[in-house]
């Protein structure tokens, strides 16, 4: 009790230089640990979102091509032109690559199915009327992420 009274009478206000340096060092360590965790998290997020974007693009493209093929009465892969010809509900479609863009043409309009396409090939069975089991090979590459 006497010690407490003596300490209170001395008028100890503020921090000593050693206490201040220790507090700054502890704060620096905590800040660097939190900052490091945030940098790693941001890096993983960018990598995963780029991979997801490529996968989503490939899936959407194959779904669009598949939807056209399902109701088609005619389908033919033209190997020399790397072009898929489809007749769907009386409309003739052509799906082809233009540089790294996969496009379609329906006789009047041209549209984009996918970008960053590295490879597009379709295997159509010889008897398409009976066997509509079409194999689509699609490879999309964006920002060093590739999905086949």
């Amino acid at each position: 009790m006497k010690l407490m009274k003596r300490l209170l009478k001395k008028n100890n206000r503020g921090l000593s230089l050693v206490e201040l340096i220790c507090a700054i060092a502890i704060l620096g360590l905590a800040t660097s640990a939190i900052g490091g965790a945030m940098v790693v998290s941001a890096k993983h997020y960018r990598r995963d979102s780029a991979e997801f974007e490529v996968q989503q693009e490939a899936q959407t493209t194959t779904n669009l091509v598949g939807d056209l093929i399902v109701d088609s009465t005619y389908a033919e892969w033209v190997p020399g032109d790397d072009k898929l010809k489809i007749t769907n509900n009386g409309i003739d479609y052509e799906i082809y690559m233009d540089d790294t863009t996969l496009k379609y043409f329906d006789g009047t309009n041209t549209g984009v199915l996918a970008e960053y396409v590295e490879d597009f090939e379709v295997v159509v069975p010889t008897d398409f009327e009976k066997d509509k089991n079409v194999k689509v090979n699609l490879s999309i590459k964006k920002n060093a992420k590739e999905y086949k």
Side-chain angles (χ1 to χ4, degrees), residues 114-129:
E115 294 179 320
Y116 311 106
V117 178
E118 291 283 312
D119 184 37
F120 176 68
E121 184 182 0
V122 180
V123 179
V124 180
T126 53
D127 192 5
F128 180 74
E129 293 282 330

Side-chain angles (χ1 to χ4, degrees), residues 43-60:
K43 209 180 281 185
H44 284 290
Y45 175 76
R46 263 186 264 125
R47 184 198 68 212
D48 291 346
S49 65
E51 191 170 320
F52 174 73
E53 187 178 319
V54 170
Q55 287 178 357
Q56 187 176 19
E57 180 97 10
Q59 187 66 47
T60 302

Side-chain angles (χ1 to χ4, degrees), residues 19 25 37 40 42 47 54 59 62 69 90 93 95 101 123-124 130:
E19 292 172 327
V40 169
R47 184 198 68 212
V54 170
Q59 187 66 47
T62 53
I69 292 172
Y93 291 91
I95 299 174
T101 304
V123 179
V124 180
K130 291 181 181 176

Side-chain angles (χ1 to χ4, degrees), residues 5-33:
K5 284 183 183 180
R6 207 175 333 145
L7 286 175
L8 288 175
K9 281 185 180 179
K10 282 190 170 184
N11 197 9
N12 289 335
R13 289 188 188 169
L15 299 171
S16 71
L17 184 59
V18 173
E19 292 172 327
L20 185 61
I21 290 173
C22 287
I24 291 173
I26 291 171
L27 182 64
L29 287 173
T31 303
S32 65

Side-chain angles (χ1 to χ4, degrees), residues 76-108:
E76 176 189 8
W77 174 252
V78 184
D81 295 335
D82 289 340
K83 189 180 291 187
L84 176 64
K85 293 183 176 186
I86 301 170
T87 302
N88 185 328
N89 294 324
I91 301 171
D92 292 329
Y93 291 91
E94 290 183 355
I95 299 174
Y96 60 94
M97 277 189 56
D98 182 17
D99 195 26
T100 61
T101 304
L102 188 65
K103 294 184 175 182
Y104 73 91
F105 178 68
D106 65 3
T108 55

